[in-house]
Amino acid sequence: TAKITGNGTYAFAITTTSSTSRTFDSIQGTNKPQLVLEDATTPPPPPTGGTVVAAADAHVRADNPTTNYGTATGLRVDGSPISNAYLRFDVTGLNEAPGKATLRVYAKTSSSKGADLHSVANTSWTENGITYNNAPPIGATIGSSGALSSGTWVSYDVTAKITGNGTYAFAITTTSSTSRTFDSIQGTNKPQLVLEDATTPPPPGGSVVVAAAGDVACAPDDPGFNNGNGTADRCHMKATSDLVLGLDPASVFALGDLQYNGGSLANFNASYDLSWGRFKNLTRPVVGNHEYGTAGAAGYFTYFGDAATPREPGCRADCDGYYSFDIGGWHAVVLNSECARIDGGNGCANGSPQQTWLAADLAANPASCTVALVHKPRWSSNSLVAPEIGPLVQTLYDANVDLLLAGHSHSYERFAPQNPSGTLDNSRGIRQIVVGTGGSFFTGFSTVQPNSEVRKANVFGVLKLTLRSGGYDWAFVADPATPFTDNGTGSCH
């Protein structure tokens, strides 16, 4: 900003002191260098992109049918006695219908059962006048939140309802007899209607949210299956899938051992498909050791199809299982840690087809930020560790990869950035996070390994990962039945 003082010609240079080269797109490349100028005095008009804060909200209660709660700092929703929340938004300044509209409310309580959003046709009610007795009728269900975690935003897609400028009303209800509370306009995190432009894509390098976990679905004959709902310490795949839906991620990183015990196609269809299969179209799968309980991991490769074999379209058994993709401004590589099962039993060694492919892929995609996905971790504070993937980790390190996500250990563990020998390396090290908490069952810890910063056993949940230009943010979102939090931020090399 200090350099652009008006019309004229300006020149800049980019340098580095590192001995490792980096490459940026040129004018002749796909993403040309840009100089983005913003008006000094006039803020951009609200959308088709922008955020509208609720104009009015209140909850009403059947046990106090004539009482108005319009000044409360929270919106209470309950199934017994009935308590419903009403919200109204005034949308102005649009030139066209938004490309996407998302209603967001901030959860103050946790619950394994979510809350449903409905349309409300009558928008004439007032915040300080609405009561249970005079509340307008509640319309059709628009969507459900899934499980709720205290201190998180809950999102509902209302794109079909926001057709242009006007006043829109909604209601939040639940059939659960346990109340849940959301922040109201009078609270800290006010309800929002987020509108996204119908035609303009987000700028290059914009952040994206992904969800990650492994070790997911119990077999239908598991003693804890319980019609897919699980028991206290087993088979929480439905609950963790509800958490994923609540995050509304751009992609889901499924970190292996996705269907126990042997990864058969029948069990994928009978268990995984009913839980994590709800966002199969967003999933980037990783093959795990239990998938090979079916010969050639044929159940896994058949269920996910070409999404699991983009390098080998049509392969449905004995496939390589490693590939790469781009997401936001990041590059991602998916590895197969079942080293003895691929490439003639030489799947991870230096010079193996996987290691050779990985080195070439990283060299051809020198993104400023890179994440690797694998099932078995390189480091773990128990015996569930895979030193055989060391050559792959060395290749990742040599290419300045930033983040390694793994499962296999049915627990959560975050390591500080390390070099391949496991020595702390805050300048170039790879941060590994083990997220084997997708719902199957628990395993514990033994000897704590060097540079293990955070560990949690006996927990179910998913990792919310925000990938942004130059860095990333992580936050563990726990199943409310096993409360736990861990969050932080990191920078790319």
Side-chain angles (χ1 to χ4, degrees), residues 207-210 330 463-468 471-475 490:
S207 64
V208 296
V209 172
V210 301
W330 283 59
L463 184 70
K464 176 185 177 183
L465 192 63
T466 303
L467 305 176
R468 49 182 172 76
Y472 57 94
D473 307 309
W474 73 85

Side-chain angles (χ1 to χ4, degrees), residues 172-468:
I172 303 175
T173 71
T174 185
T175 56
S176 171
S177 59
T178 303
S179 69
R180 58 270 291 121
T181 304
F182 305 93
D183 260 356
S184 72
I185 294 173
Q186 287 75 26
T188 304
N189 299 289
K190 309 177 191 307
Q192 301 174 343
L193 185 63
V194 181
L195 306 177
E196 298 179 27
D197 197 300
T199 56
T200 305
S207 64
V208 296
V209 172
V210 301
D215 307 277
V216 176
C218 290
D221 60 357
D222 189 291
F225 186 71
N226 189 23
N227 295 317
N229 296 310
T231 58
D233 60 352
R234 294 184 74 86
C235 309
H236 280 224
M237 57 276 182
K238 175 62 164 57
T240 58
S241 70
D242 287 342
L243 297 176
V244 173
L245 290 173
L247 295 176
D248 190 24
S251 185
V252 177
F253 297 166
L255 303 175
D257 280 5
L258 306 180
Q259 179 59 66
Y260 286 84
N261 286 321
S264 71
L265 181 60
N267 283 355
F268 264 106
N269 288 328
S271 180
Y272 183 92
D273 196 62
L274 302 182
S275 53
W276 282 52
R278 293 186 289 172
F279 33 81
K280 181 180 177 181
N281 62 316
L282 301 178
T283 299
R284 300 288 188 169
V286 179
V287 68
N289 55 293
H290 277 272
E291 271 70 62
Y292 284 93
T294 296
Y300 164 86
F301 287 118
T302 300
Y303 178 78
F304 286 105
D306 288 351
T309 61
R311 296 175 49 254
E312 304 171 282
C315 184
R316 297 297 181 262
D318 291 317
C319 312
D320 289 343
Y322 48 86
Y323 60 95
S324 69
F325 60 95
D326 293 323
I327 180 167
W330 283 59
H331 186 62
V333 292
V334 175
L335 305 177
N336 187 339
S337 56
E338 290 303 292
C339 307
R341 300 180 187 270
I342 59 172
D343 297 334
N346 190 37
C348 301
N350 281 322
S352 66
Q354 181 172 209
Q355 188 274 328
T356 302
W357 165 83
L358 178 62
D361 179 87
L362 293 172
N365 296 278
S368 60
C369 298
T370 305
V371 58
L373 316 180
V374 69
H375 177 59
K376 290 181 177 177
R378 176 63 185 88
W379 302 282
S380 181
S381 295
N382 53 34
S383 61
L384 299 170
V385 64
E388 62 269 24
I389 70 169
L392 302 181
V393 172
Q394 181 68 56
T395 304
L396 298 175
Y397 180 81
D398 291 343
N400 289 311
V401 169
D402 305 283
L403 193 59
L404 177 63
L405 303 181
H408 195 51
S409 174
H410 297 197
S411 52
Y412 177 83
E413 186 169 21
R414 173 169 56 82
F415 286 82
Q418 302 179 93
N419 67 20
S421 65
T423 301
L424 183 67
D425 184 349
N426 285 318
S427 62
R428 286 191 55 214
I430 301 171
R431 182 188 299 281
Q432 179 190 261
I433 304 179
V434 181
V435 199
T437 55
S440 55
F441 54 89
F442 301 138
T443 60
F445 295 107
S446 51
T447 302
V448 176
Q449 294 300 296
N451 305 313
S452 174
E453 294 183 316
V454 174
R455 296 163 305 284
K456 177 62 176 176
N458 301 336
V459 64
F460 295 122
V462 300
L463 184 70
K464 176 185 177 183
L465 192 63
T466 303
L467 305 176
R468 49 182 172 76

